[in-house]
Amino acid sequence: QVQLQESGPGLVKPSETLSLTCAVSGYSITSGYYWDWIRQAPGKGLEWIGSIYHSGIIYYNPSLTSRVTISVDTSKNQFSLKLSSVTAADTAMYYCARHPTSGMSSGSIDSWGQGTLITVSS
Amino acid sequence: EIVLTQSPGTLSLSPGERATLSCRASQTISSSYLTWYQQKPGQSPRLLIYGASTRATSIPDRFSGSGSGTDFTLTISRLEPEDFAVYYCQHYGSSLWTFGQGTRVEIK
């Protein structure tokens, strides 16, 4: 049973860079899945941030691509998110997740972390 | 860019009633990549339906999905107390992911 656990600072100052890590347990990050970041502003809907494959293939939301970097560390079985120049609009619950690379459910996220709340405030 | 519009925004129903949720795409999309999630307060989303109509593992058969082209529907045949939640549709295409704004199913 895969488990995904986000970790991060909780509070980030405006204009700084938000850094989050997702630790994957119970499953190898090199096996058959893309690894995703999704966020949800308080009381709002879901927004996809980006996805990465262990080989380094990466896709970003066009609306965030200038500020986002996603990377993977296969030796630690984890992946990370960096979001630069944050503002209050980046305050949200940040989820890490995964979706399969192939098959009928390849367009669906089948596992989610519990999320970590990031507040942007001075 | 494909936009998904869900309606209604809020659905007020009683346990035992039938819920019909709509998701409309701004252009024709492949039903293979239309997904529904359920999210309860304080929880992460949970995969319900993928490929527009296939229930995910352990999802009760009172949940069903249908549709094609631009119009998709999630139906809950008889609402159980645990079904009151927010439901999101989602599309994947051209390496991009789009979510609808959600439909809240609340107890009447």
Side-chain angles (χ1 to χ4, degrees), chain A residues 40 59 95 99 107-109 113, chain B residues 35 37 39 44 50 88 90 95:
Chain A
Q40 185 172 34
Y59 303 107
Y95 295 101
H99 72 271
S108 307
I109 294 171
Chain B
T35 299
Y37 301 91
Q39 187 178 33
S44 308
Y50 62 88
Y88 294 95
Q90 170 253 309
S95 304

Side-chain angles (χ1 to χ4, degrees), chain A:
Chain A
Q1 176 93 1
V2 65
Q3 290 190 319
L4 300 98
Q5 180 65 60
E6 305 89 349
S7 59
L11 181 65
V12 183
K13 290 182 169 55
S15 80
E16 295 189 342
T17 295
L18 178 165
S19 295
L20 298 176
T21 296
C22 180
V24 180
S25 58
Y27 197 86
S28 171
I29 205 166
T30 61
S31 299
Y33 280 82
Y34 275 86
W35 304 91
D36 312 301
W37 287 101
I38 291 148
R39 69 181 182 178
Q40 185 172 34
K44 302 297 184 182
L46 300 163
E47 180 181 30
W48 171 69
I49 299 171
S51 304
I52 188 167
Y53 191 60
H54 68 86
S55 64
I57 298 171
I58 304 173
Y59 303 107
Y60 294 137
N61 186 325
S63 69
L64 297 169
T65 190
S66 63
R67 298 195 293 131
V68 174
T69 303
I70 296 176
S71 59
V72 64
D73 187 337
T74 56
S75 67
K76 294 182 178 179
N77 217 45
Q78 65 185 34
F79 60 108
S80 300
L81 168 70
K82 292 187 186 295
L83 181 65
S84 64
S85 305
V86 297
T87 70
D90 296 309
T91 294
M93 184 72 78
Y94 284 76
Y95 295 101
C96 61
R98 72 172 192 179
H99 72 271
T101 57
S102 62
M104 289 184 60
S105 63
S106 61
S108 307
I109 294 171
D110 67 2
S111 297
W112 299 69
Q114 64 183 24
T116 186
L117 180 62
I118 299 297
T119 301
V120 179
S121 175
S122 55

Side-chain angles (χ1 to χ4, degrees), chain B residues 2-108:
Chain B
I2 291 172
V3 176
L4 299 178
T5 302
Q6 293 187 239
S7 61
T10 301
L11 201 50
S12 298
L13 294 168
S14 300
E17 289 193 294
R18 181 184 187 91
T20 302
L21 288 66
S22 172
C23 176
R24 177 163 292 178
S26 58
Q27 59 187 276
T28 297
I29 61 174
S30 169
S31 58
S32 297
Y33 295 110
L34 193 286
T35 299
W36 290 94
Y37 301 91
Q38 176 194 66
Q39 187 178 33
K40 297 179 181 179
Q43 296 186 16
S44 308
R46 177 174 73 142
L47 175 62
L48 287 180
I49 301 281
Y50 62 88
S53 61
T54 302
R55 279 187 300 277
T57 304
S58 304
I59 301 303
D61 61 7
R62 64 180 180 272
F63 291 92
S64 64
S66 62
S68 64
T70 60
D71 292 310
F72 298 86
T73 300
L74 174 69
T75 302
I76 311 171
S77 59
R78 287 177 58 86
L79 283 164
E80 296 288 341
E82 62 267 27
D83 299 336
F84 291 91
V86 179
Y87 293 84
Y88 294 95
C89 61
Q90 170 253 309
H91 173 257
Y92 169 73
S94 301
S95 304
L96 299 175
W97 296 69
T98 306
F99 291 90
Q101 82 277 20
T103 290
R104 179 181 305 278
V105 179
E106 64 176 25
I107 300 176
K108 187 174 181 180

